[in-house]
Amino acid sequence: MGKTILVTGGAGFIGNCFCKLILKERPDWKVVNVDCMTYAANPSTIKNEMNDPRYVFYREDIRRRDGIFAIFEKERPGIVVNFAAESHVDRSIENPGVFLETNILGTQVVMDACRMYGVERFHQVGTDEVYGDLPLDRPDLFFREDTPIRTSSPYSTSKAAADLLALAYHRTYGLPVTVSRCSNNYGPYQFPEKLIPLMINNATHDKPLPVYGEGLNVRDWLYVEDHCRGILSVLEKGKVGEVYNLGGHNEKSNIEIVKIILKELGKPESLITFVADRKGHDQRYAIDPSKAMADLGWQPTTMFKDGIRLTIAWYRENADWLDECTSGEYRNYYDKMYGKRSDK
Ligand code: NAD
Ligand code: TDX
Protein backbone atom coordinates (compact mmCIF):
# COMPACT_ATOMS: atom_id res chain seq x y z
CA MET A 1 0.00 0.00 0.00
CA GLY A 2 1.25 3.47 -0.90
CA LYS A 3 0.03 6.64 0.73
CA THR A 4 -2.90 7.17 3.05
CA ILE A 5 -4.69 10.38 2.12
CA LEU A 6 -7.21 11.84 4.56
CA VAL A 7 -9.88 14.00 2.96
CA THR A 8 -12.27 16.10 5.05
CA GLY A 9 -15.65 16.94 3.50
CA GLY A 10 -15.36 13.99 1.10
CA ALA A 11 -19.13 13.51 0.99
CA GLY A 12 -19.66 16.98 -0.46
CA PHE A 13 -19.58 18.09 -4.08
CA ILE A 14 -15.85 18.64 -4.71
CA GLY A 15 -14.42 16.40 -1.97
CA ASN A 16 -16.34 13.42 -3.33
CA CYS A 17 -15.10 14.05 -6.87
CA PHE A 18 -11.57 14.20 -5.45
CA CYS A 19 -11.99 10.87 -3.59
CA LYS A 20 -13.29 9.23 -6.79
CA LEU A 21 -10.33 10.61 -8.76
CA ILE A 22 -7.76 9.29 -6.26
CA LEU A 23 -9.39 5.84 -6.08
CA LYS A 24 -9.36 5.68 -9.89
CA GLU A 25 -5.94 7.11 -10.65
CA ARG A 26 -3.75 6.32 -7.63
CA PRO A 27 -4.38 2.57 -7.21
CA ASP A 28 -1.99 2.13 -4.27
CA TRP A 29 -3.41 4.98 -2.17
CA LYS A 30 -5.92 4.52 0.65
CA VAL A 31 -8.60 7.21 1.02
CA VAL A 32 -9.92 8.16 4.47
CA ASN A 33 -13.00 10.39 4.24
CA VAL A 34 -13.98 12.39 7.33
CA ASP A 35 -17.33 14.12 6.97
CA CYS A 36 -20.01 14.95 9.55
CA MET A 37 -22.76 14.85 6.89
CA THR A 38 -24.34 18.29 7.11
CA TYR A 39 -27.40 19.16 5.01
CA ALA A 40 -24.97 19.52 2.04
CA ALA A 41 -23.97 15.84 2.09
CA ASN A 42 -26.21 13.17 0.62
CA PRO A 43 -25.35 9.57 1.68
CA SER A 44 -26.06 8.40 -1.89
CA THR A 45 -23.11 10.48 -3.09
CA ILE A 46 -20.62 8.10 -1.46
CA LYS A 47 -22.46 4.79 -1.79
CA ASN A 48 -20.21 3.37 -4.56
CA GLU A 49 -16.97 4.17 -2.72
CA MET A 50 -18.25 2.50 0.46
CA ASN A 51 -17.69 -0.90 -1.22
CA ASP A 52 -14.08 -0.12 -2.12
CA PRO A 53 -11.58 -1.81 0.25
CA ARG A 54 -9.23 1.18 -0.20
CA TYR A 55 -11.86 3.61 1.18
CA VAL A 56 -12.79 4.27 4.80
CA PHE A 57 -15.51 6.65 5.95
CA TYR A 58 -15.72 8.32 9.37
CA ARG A 59 -18.76 10.38 10.30
CA GLU A 60 -16.98 13.03 12.35
CA ASP A 61 -17.02 16.79 12.78
CA ILE A 62 -13.74 18.65 12.16
CA ARG A 63 -14.61 20.91 15.11
CA ARG A 64 -14.42 17.90 17.48
CA ARG A 65 -10.78 17.72 18.54
CA ASP A 66 -10.99 14.34 20.33
CA GLY A 67 -12.73 12.66 17.42
CA ILE A 68 -10.33 14.06 14.81
CA PHE A 69 -7.24 13.17 16.85
CA ALA A 70 -8.55 9.60 17.33
CA ILE A 71 -8.90 9.20 13.54
CA PHE A 72 -5.35 10.46 12.99
CA GLU A 73 -4.08 8.10 15.72
CA LYS A 74 -5.69 5.15 13.92
CA GLU A 75 -5.11 6.05 10.26
CA ARG A 76 -1.78 7.96 10.39
CA PRO A 77 -2.37 9.80 7.09
CA GLY A 78 0.59 11.02 5.03
CA ILE A 79 -1.44 13.65 3.17
CA VAL A 80 -4.44 15.66 4.42
CA VAL A 81 -6.71 17.69 2.15
CA ASN A 82 -9.23 19.95 3.89
CA PHE A 83 -12.40 20.37 1.82
CA ALA A 84 -14.82 20.40 4.78
CA ALA A 85 -16.56 23.75 5.02
CA GLU A 86 -19.82 25.57 5.11
CA SER A 87 -19.78 26.66 1.48
CA HIS A 88 -22.87 28.70 0.58
CA VAL A 89 -22.59 32.50 0.56
CA ASP A 90 -26.35 33.10 1.02
CA ARG A 91 -26.43 30.89 4.13
CA SER A 92 -23.42 32.77 5.55
CA ILE A 93 -25.37 36.02 5.24
CA GLU A 94 -28.24 34.49 7.25
CA ASN A 95 -26.12 32.70 9.85
CA PRO A 96 -22.39 33.56 9.96
CA GLY A 97 -21.53 31.76 13.22
CA VAL A 98 -21.27 28.22 11.92
CA PHE A 99 -19.07 29.45 9.03
CA LEU A 100 -16.53 30.84 11.49
CA GLU A 101 -16.67 27.69 13.61
CA THR A 102 -16.26 25.11 10.86
CA ASN A 103 -14.18 27.02 8.34
CA ILE A 104 -11.72 28.59 10.77
CA LEU A 105 -11.75 26.63 14.03
CA GLY A 106 -12.37 23.30 12.27
CA THR A 107 -9.36 23.95 10.04
CA GLN A 108 -7.30 24.70 13.14
CA VAL A 109 -8.26 21.35 14.70
CA VAL A 110 -7.27 19.44 11.53
CA MET A 111 -3.94 21.29 11.35
CA ASP A 112 -3.24 20.66 15.04
CA ALA A 113 -3.75 16.94 14.38
CA CYS A 114 -1.35 17.22 11.42
CA ARG A 115 1.25 18.79 13.68
CA MET A 116 0.75 16.22 16.43
CA TYR A 117 0.99 13.15 14.20
CA GLY A 118 3.25 14.56 11.47
CA VAL A 119 2.21 14.66 7.80
CA GLU A 120 4.02 15.12 4.50
CA ARG A 121 1.43 17.66 3.44
CA PHE A 122 -1.61 19.60 4.64
CA HIS A 123 -3.52 21.12 1.74
CA GLN A 124 -6.15 23.80 2.30
CA VAL A 125 -8.86 24.04 -0.38
CA GLY A 126 -9.54 27.74 -0.78
CA THR A 127 -11.63 30.01 -2.96
CA ASP A 128 -11.08 32.98 -5.25
CA GLU A 129 -13.73 34.83 -3.21
CA VAL A 130 -10.95 35.80 -0.77
CA TYR A 131 -9.81 38.40 -3.33
CA GLY A 132 -13.16 40.22 -3.20
CA ASP A 133 -14.47 41.19 -6.61
CA LEU A 134 -13.40 42.89 -9.83
CA PRO A 135 -15.35 45.65 -11.59
CA LEU A 136 -17.46 44.63 -14.59
CA ASP A 137 -15.92 47.35 -16.76
CA ARG A 138 -12.29 46.19 -16.31
CA PRO A 139 -12.02 42.92 -18.26
CA ASP A 140 -8.23 43.36 -18.21
CA LEU A 141 -8.06 42.65 -14.44
CA PHE A 142 -7.62 39.14 -12.96
CA PHE A 143 -7.00 37.64 -9.52
CA ARG A 144 -3.34 36.71 -9.05
CA GLU A 145 -1.87 34.98 -6.02
CA ASP A 146 -0.52 38.35 -4.83
CA THR A 147 -3.86 40.19 -5.21
CA PRO A 148 -4.73 41.61 -1.77
CA ILE A 149 -7.25 39.74 0.36
CA ARG A 150 -10.42 41.85 0.44
CA THR A 151 -13.45 39.80 1.39
CA SER A 152 -17.14 40.64 1.05
CA SER A 153 -19.24 37.96 2.79
CA PRO A 154 -18.97 36.09 6.08
CA TYR A 155 -18.25 32.99 3.96
CA SER A 156 -15.31 34.49 2.08
CA THR A 157 -13.99 36.07 5.27
CA SER A 158 -14.00 32.71 7.04
CA LYS A 159 -12.19 31.11 4.08
CA ALA A 160 -9.60 33.90 4.01
CA ALA A 161 -8.96 33.41 7.73
CA ALA A 162 -8.46 29.68 7.18
CA ASP A 163 -5.96 30.29 4.33
CA LEU A 164 -4.00 32.75 6.44
CA LEU A 165 -4.02 30.42 9.44
CA ALA A 166 -2.71 27.59 7.24
CA LEU A 167 0.12 29.79 5.94
CA ALA A 168 0.85 30.91 9.51
CA TYR A 169 1.10 27.25 10.61
CA HIS A 170 3.68 26.79 7.86
CA ARG A 171 5.74 29.80 8.86
CA THR A 172 5.41 29.42 12.62
CA TYR A 173 5.47 25.64 13.10
CA GLY A 174 6.97 24.47 9.79
CA LEU A 175 3.81 22.51 8.89
CA PRO A 176 4.14 21.53 5.19
CA VAL A 177 1.18 23.52 3.91
CA THR A 178 -0.08 24.32 0.42
CA VAL A 179 -3.16 26.38 -0.46
CA SER A 180 -5.19 26.46 -3.67
CA ARG A 181 -7.82 29.08 -4.54
CA CYS A 182 -10.34 28.06 -7.11
CA SER A 183 -13.09 29.77 -9.07
CA ASN A 184 -16.73 28.56 -9.24
CA ASN A 185 -17.07 24.82 -9.80
CA TYR A 186 -19.87 23.03 -11.61
CA GLY A 187 -20.59 19.36 -12.32
CA PRO A 188 -22.48 16.32 -10.94
CA TYR A 189 -23.40 16.03 -7.24
CA GLN A 190 -23.50 19.78 -6.49
CA PHE A 191 -26.12 20.64 -3.89
CA PRO A 192 -29.08 22.45 -5.51
CA GLU A 193 -28.69 25.64 -3.47
CA LYS A 194 -25.91 26.76 -5.86
CA LEU A 195 -26.70 28.57 -9.12
CA ILE A 196 -26.35 25.83 -11.75
CA PRO A 197 -28.07 22.87 -10.03
CA LEU A 198 -30.76 25.15 -8.55
CA MET A 199 -31.61 26.45 -12.02
CA ILE A 200 -31.54 22.95 -13.56
CA ASN A 201 -33.85 21.67 -10.81
CA ASN A 202 -36.30 24.57 -11.08
CA ALA A 203 -36.38 24.52 -14.88
CA THR A 204 -36.97 20.75 -14.87
CA HIS A 205 -40.02 21.30 -12.66
CA ASP A 206 -41.20 24.41 -14.61
CA LYS A 207 -40.62 26.58 -11.53
CA PRO A 208 -39.43 30.23 -11.75
CA LEU A 209 -35.64 30.74 -12.05
CA PRO A 210 -34.69 33.38 -9.42
CA VAL A 211 -31.92 35.55 -10.91
CA TYR A 212 -30.44 38.03 -8.41
CA GLY A 213 -30.39 41.68 -9.47
CA GLU A 214 -30.05 42.00 -13.23
CA GLY A 215 -28.10 38.77 -13.69
CA LEU A 216 -25.01 40.65 -14.88
CA ASN A 217 -22.58 39.39 -12.21
CA VAL A 218 -19.80 37.32 -13.72
CA ARG A 219 -18.34 34.05 -12.44
CA ASP A 220 -15.37 32.09 -13.82
CA TRP A 221 -16.60 28.48 -14.19
CA LEU A 222 -14.43 25.39 -13.84
CA TYR A 223 -15.53 21.75 -14.25
CA VAL A 224 -15.19 20.02 -10.88
CA GLU A 225 -12.86 17.25 -12.11
CA ASP A 226 -10.46 19.87 -13.50
CA HIS A 227 -10.35 21.46 -10.04
CA CYS A 228 -9.61 18.07 -8.43
CA ARG A 229 -6.82 17.38 -10.91
CA GLY A 230 -5.41 20.80 -10.04
CA ILE A 231 -5.34 19.92 -6.33
CA LEU A 232 -3.62 16.62 -7.11
CA SER A 233 -1.00 18.53 -9.14
CA VAL A 234 -0.40 20.85 -6.19
CA LEU A 235 0.06 17.82 -3.90
CA GLU A 236 2.51 16.15 -6.27
CA LYS A 237 4.32 19.09 -7.84
CA GLY A 238 3.55 22.15 -5.71
CA LYS A 239 5.97 23.88 -3.37
CA VAL A 240 5.30 23.98 0.35
CA GLY A 241 4.29 27.44 1.63
CA GLU A 242 2.85 28.44 -1.76
CA VAL A 243 -0.62 29.48 -2.93
CA TYR A 244 -1.91 28.38 -6.37
CA ASN A 245 -4.89 29.92 -8.18
CA LEU A 246 -6.96 27.41 -10.17
CA GLY A 247 -9.33 28.61 -12.89
CA GLY A 248 -9.87 28.32 -16.59
CA HIS A 249 -10.64 31.74 -18.14
CA ASN A 250 -14.27 30.79 -18.50
CA GLU A 251 -16.20 33.89 -17.50
CA LYS A 252 -19.95 34.02 -17.94
CA SER A 253 -22.67 36.28 -16.56
CA ASN A 254 -25.39 34.61 -14.51
CA ILE A 255 -28.05 35.44 -17.06
CA GLU A 256 -25.97 33.75 -19.80
CA ILE A 257 -25.73 30.60 -17.65
CA VAL A 258 -29.48 30.56 -16.99
CA LYS A 259 -30.28 30.95 -20.69
CA ILE A 260 -27.88 28.13 -21.65
CA ILE A 261 -29.60 25.82 -19.14
CA LEU A 262 -33.09 26.71 -20.40
CA LYS A 263 -32.04 26.13 -24.01
CA GLU A 264 -30.45 22.78 -23.22
CA LEU A 265 -33.58 21.65 -21.34
CA GLY A 266 -35.94 23.02 -24.02
CA LYS A 267 -37.68 25.33 -21.51
CA PRO A 268 -38.93 28.91 -22.15
CA GLU A 269 -37.07 32.05 -21.02
CA SER A 270 -40.35 33.22 -19.49
CA LEU A 271 -39.36 31.10 -16.46
CA ILE A 272 -36.65 33.68 -15.60
CA THR A 273 -37.64 35.88 -12.64
CA PHE A 274 -35.44 38.76 -11.53
CA VAL A 275 -35.45 38.93 -7.73
CA ALA A 276 -33.90 41.14 -5.03
CA ASP A 277 -30.12 41.15 -5.16
CA ARG A 278 -27.79 39.32 -2.74
CA LYS A 279 -26.44 41.64 -0.01
CA GLY A 280 -22.85 42.68 -0.79
CA HIS A 281 -23.04 40.78 -4.10
CA ASP A 282 -19.59 40.41 -5.71
CA GLN A 283 -19.55 41.73 -9.28
CA ARG A 284 -16.98 39.65 -11.11
CA TYR A 285 -14.56 36.83 -10.33
CA ALA A 286 -11.77 36.02 -12.80
CA ILE A 287 -8.67 33.93 -12.05
CA ASP A 288 -5.24 34.29 -13.58
CA PRO A 289 -4.10 30.63 -13.50
CA SER A 290 -0.68 31.22 -15.08
CA LYS A 291 1.32 30.23 -11.96
CA ALA A 292 -0.38 26.80 -11.72
CA MET A 293 0.02 26.30 -15.45
CA ALA A 294 3.73 27.21 -15.46
CA ASP A 295 4.80 25.58 -12.18
CA LEU A 296 2.54 22.50 -12.12
CA GLY A 297 1.83 21.93 -15.81
CA TRP A 298 -1.87 21.95 -14.88
CA GLN A 299 -4.60 23.17 -17.15
CA PRO A 300 -8.34 22.55 -17.40
CA THR A 301 -9.39 20.08 -20.07
CA THR A 302 -13.20 20.32 -20.06
CA MET A 303 -14.69 23.02 -22.29
CA PHE A 304 -17.72 24.74 -20.74
CA LYS A 305 -20.03 23.71 -23.59
CA ASP A 306 -19.17 20.03 -22.95
CA GLY A 307 -19.12 20.27 -19.15
CA ILE A 308 -22.52 21.92 -18.90
CA ARG A 309 -24.08 19.26 -21.16
CA LEU A 310 -22.54 16.48 -19.05
CA THR A 311 -23.81 18.22 -15.91
CA ILE A 312 -27.37 18.70 -17.16
CA ALA A 313 -27.47 15.11 -18.43
CA TRP A 314 -26.25 13.87 -15.03
CA TYR A 315 -29.02 15.73 -13.16
CA ARG A 316 -31.62 14.38 -15.60
CA GLU A 317 -30.39 10.82 -15.09
CA ASN A 318 -30.11 11.20 -11.30
CA ALA A 319 -33.49 12.67 -10.41
CA ASP A 320 -33.58 10.44 -7.31
CA TRP A 321 -30.38 11.99 -5.98
CA LEU A 322 -31.82 15.46 -6.52
CA ASP A 323 -35.11 14.46 -4.87
CA GLU A 324 -33.21 13.22 -1.81
CA CYS A 325 -31.50 16.62 -1.51
CA THR A 326 -34.65 18.65 -2.01
CA SER A 327 -36.88 16.83 0.46
CA GLY A 328 -37.09 17.92 4.11
CA GLU A 329 -34.88 20.81 5.20
CA TYR A 330 -34.39 22.09 1.65
CA ARG A 331 -38.04 23.13 1.37
CA ASN A 332 -37.79 25.27 4.51
CA TYR A 333 -34.55 26.75 3.20
CA TYR A 334 -36.06 27.50 -0.19
CA ASP A 335 -39.16 29.14 1.28
CA LYS A 336 -37.06 31.23 3.65
CA MET A 337 -34.57 32.38 0.98
CA TYR A 338 -36.87 32.81 -1.98
CA GLY A 339 -40.45 32.85 -0.63
CA LYS A 340 -40.50 36.49 0.39
CA ARG A 341 -37.78 37.67 -1.99
CA SER A 342 -39.68 40.30 -3.92
CA ASP A 343 -39.57 40.42 -7.71
CA LYS A 344 -37.50 43.35 -8.97
P1 NAD B 1 -20.18 21.29 -0.10
O1 NAD B 1 -21.00 22.20 0.74
O2 NAD B 1 -20.82 20.60 -1.26
O3 NAD B 1 -19.53 20.15 0.80
C1 NAD B 1 -18.96 20.42 2.05
C2 NAD B 1 -18.80 19.08 2.79
O4 NAD B 1 -18.18 19.36 4.04
C3 NAD B 1 -20.14 18.39 3.09
O5 NAD B 1 -20.04 17.01 2.79
C4 NAD B 1 -20.33 18.61 4.58
O6 NAD B 1 -21.05 17.56 5.22
C5 NAD B 1 -18.88 18.66 5.06
N1 NAD B 1 -18.76 19.43 6.30
C6 NAD B 1 -19.26 20.66 6.57
N2 NAD B 1 -18.98 21.00 7.85
C7 NAD B 1 -18.25 19.99 8.38
C8 NAD B 1 -17.67 19.76 9.65
N3 NAD B 1 -17.77 20.66 10.64
N4 NAD B 1 -17.00 18.60 9.84
C9 NAD B 1 -16.90 17.67 8.86
N5 NAD B 1 -17.45 17.82 7.64
C10 NAD B 1 -18.12 18.97 7.41
O7 NAD B 1 -18.94 22.18 -0.58
P2 NAD B 1 -18.08 22.08 -1.92
O8 NAD B 1 -18.71 22.94 -2.94
O9 NAD B 1 -17.77 20.66 -2.22
O10 NAD B 1 -16.76 22.83 -1.42
C11 NAD B 1 -15.66 22.10 -0.89
C12 NAD B 1 -14.55 23.07 -0.55
O11 NAD B 1 -14.14 23.78 -1.71
C13 NAD B 1 -14.95 24.14 0.46
O12 NAD B 1 -13.87 24.34 1.33
C14 NAD B 1 -15.22 25.38 -0.38
O13 NAD B 1 -14.99 26.52 0.36
C15 NAD B 1 -14.22 25.19 -1.49
N6 NAD B 1 -14.55 25.80 -2.79
C16 NAD B 1 -15.75 25.55 -3.38
C17 NAD B 1 -16.02 26.10 -4.64
C18 NAD B 1 -17.32 25.85 -5.35
O14 NAD B 1 -17.55 26.43 -6.42
N7 NAD B 1 -18.20 24.99 -4.85
C19 NAD B 1 -15.05 26.91 -5.28
C20 NAD B 1 -13.84 27.14 -4.62
C21 NAD B 1 -13.59 26.56 -3.39
O1 TDX C 1 -30.69 31.56 -6.87
C1 TDX C 1 -29.63 32.13 -7.22
N1 TDX C 1 -29.68 33.17 -8.09
C2 TDX C 1 -28.58 33.87 -8.51
O2 TDX C 1 -28.70 34.81 -9.31
C3 TDX C 1 -28.33 31.71 -6.73
C4 TDX C 1 -28.20 30.57 -5.78
C5 TDX C 1 -27.22 32.42 -7.16
N2 TDX C 1 -27.34 33.47 -8.01
C6 TDX C 1 -26.11 34.19 -8.43
C7 TDX C 1 -25.23 34.68 -7.30
C8 TDX C 1 -23.84 34.60 -7.90
O3 TDX C 1 -23.57 35.79 -8.63
O4 TDX C 1 -25.32 33.25 -9.15
C9 TDX C 1 -23.92 33.44 -8.88
C10 TDX C 1 -23.37 32.14 -8.34
O5 TDX C 1 -23.93 31.94 -7.04
P1 TDX C 1 -23.55 30.68 -6.13
O6 TDX C 1 -23.80 29.43 -6.91
O7 TDX C 1 -24.22 30.84 -4.82
O8 TDX C 1 -21.97 30.80 -6.03
P2 TDX C 1 -20.99 31.98 -5.51
O9 TDX C 1 -21.67 32.88 -4.55
O10 TDX C 1 -20.34 32.59 -6.70
O11 TDX C 1 -19.93 31.09 -4.67
C11 TDX C 1 -19.43 29.85 -5.23
O12 TDX C 1 -18.16 29.99 -5.78
C12 TDX C 1 -17.07 30.13 -4.89
C13 TDX C 1 -19.43 28.72 -4.19
O13 TDX C 1 -20.71 28.59 -3.62
C14 TDX C 1 -18.39 28.95 -3.14
O14 TDX C 1 -18.35 27.84 -2.24
C15 TDX C 1 -17.06 29.08 -3.80
O15 TDX C 1 -16.07 29.38 -2.88
Side-chain angles (χ1 to χ4, degrees):
M1 176 62 92
K3 293 182 190 302
T4 294
I5 182 165
L6 185 148
V7 171
T8 69
F13 166 48
I14 308 173
N16 172 254
C17 178
F18 184 77
C19 291
K20 285 183 162 79
L21 180 73
I22 297 295
L23 290 170
K24 192 167 72 173
E25 299 195 358
R26 294 295 178 274
D28 58 343
W29 290 21
K30 175 181 178 185
V31 176
V32 178
N33 175 18
V34 179
D35 195 304
C36 72
M37 306 300 281
T38 67
Y39 76 91
N42 179 340
S44 299
T45 302
I46 57 171
K47 71 171 188 295
N48 290 338
E49 292 78 87
M50 288 300 227
N51 301 320
D52 192 318
R54 291 184 296 126
Y55 181 87
V56 189
F57 171 67
Y58 290 92
R59 184 169 190 162
E60 186 53 272
D61 191 318
I62 60 166
R63 292 169 293 181
R64 262 189 21 98
R65 189 167 285 268
D66 290 354
I68 295 299
F69 275 56
I71 295 168
F72 272 70
E73 172 74 36
K74 180 144 190 276
E75 299 291 346
R76 301 292 175 133
I79 301 176
V80 174
V81 183
N82 188 34
F83 289 92
E86 290 293 336
S87 68
H88 191 37
V89 173
D90 289 327
R91 289 190 191 245
S92 82
I93 294 167
E94 294 301 305
N95 181 19
V98 68
F99 283 73
L100 308 186
E101 287 167 16
T102 287
N103 300 1
I104 307 173
L105 298 178
T107 300
Q108 185 208 353
V109 168
V110 178
M111 290 195 298
D112 284 344
C114 289
R115 282 185 64 210
M116 170 88 159
Y117 290 95
V119 292
E120 284 166 56
R121 181 69 63 83
F122 170 80
H123 182 76
Q124 174 64 10
V125 179
T127 170
D128 62 355
E129 297 199 18
V130 300
Y131 301 120
D133 62 354
L134 298 164
L136 290 177
D137 61 356
R138 289 293 307 273
D140 55 314
L141 297 180
F142 296 93
F143 296 139
R144 295 161 40 94
E145 288 79 0
D146 57 5
T147 299
I149 302 285
R150 189 178 64 90
T151 57
S152 310
S153 70
Y155 164 71
S156 55
T157 305
S158 68
K159 292 294 292 182
D163 284 9
L164 296 177
L165 192 63
L167 295 168
Y169 267 51
H170 169 62
R171 172 139 183 185
T172 307
Y173 305 118
L175 189 69
V177 167
T178 42
V179 175
S180 54
R181 295 182 179 142
C182 190
S183 57
N184 286 58
N185 284 214
Y186 70 102
Y189 295 105
Q190 188 171 27
F191 193 79
E193 64 190 350
K194 307 282 166 55
L195 179 74
I196 289 182
L198 185 142
M199 297 300 172
I200 295 173
N201 186 38
N202 284 18
T204 304
H205 294 98
D206 299 306
K207 280 175 60 181
L209 307 195
V211 173
Y212 299 165
E214 294 174 1
L216 300 179
N217 305 59
V218 169
R219 297 293 182 265
D220 183 2
W221 294 95
L222 184 70
Y223 193 61
V224 61
E225 197 175 309
D226 280 326
H227 180 189
C228 292
R229 286 184 192 283
I231 293 171
L232 187 53
S233 300
V234 176
L235 293 177
E236 294 184 328
K237 299 183 200 148
K239 215 170 130 214
V240 160
E242 293 288 317
V243 176
Y244 296 89
N245 282 353
L246 301 173
H249 283 307
N250 197 3
E251 291 177 52
K252 301 226 174 310
S253 69
N254 296 335
I255 194 73
E256 277 180 87
I257 295 282
V258 168
K259 287 183 179 172
I260 291 169
I261 292 171
L262 286 169
K263 191 160 176 220
E264 191 66 27
L265 288 170
K267 300 286 183 176
E269 289 189 7
S270 56
L271 286 175
I272 296 173
T273 315
F274 292 97
V275 300
D277 211 349
R278 173 183 281 173
K279 292 188 181 84
H281 199 171
D282 281 338
Q283 294 290 309
R284 169 175 167 253
Y285 301 149
I287 285 262
D288 174 354
S290 51
K291 178 178 174 184
M293 286 176 170
D295 293 4
L296 312 174
W298 171 84
Q299 62 173 30
T301 57
T302 307
M303 305 279 288
F304 186 78
K305 68 174 175 41
D306 300 324
I308 194 72
R309 279 208 190 109
L310 283 173
T311 304
I312 292 173
W314 186 87
Y315 281 99
R316 287 179 112 161
E317 286 154 21
N318 291 275
D320 289 351
W321 184 90
L322 206 46
D323 288 347
E324 282 159 15
C325 295
T326 55
S327 61
E329 197 267 348
Y330 185 82
R331 289 205 192 121
N332 301 334
Y333 166 79
Y334 198 91
D335 288 346
K336 188 167 171 227
M337 297 303 282
Y338 296 93
K340 291 197 198 106
R341 201 166 193 139
S342 56
D343 289 0
K344 277 199 74 197

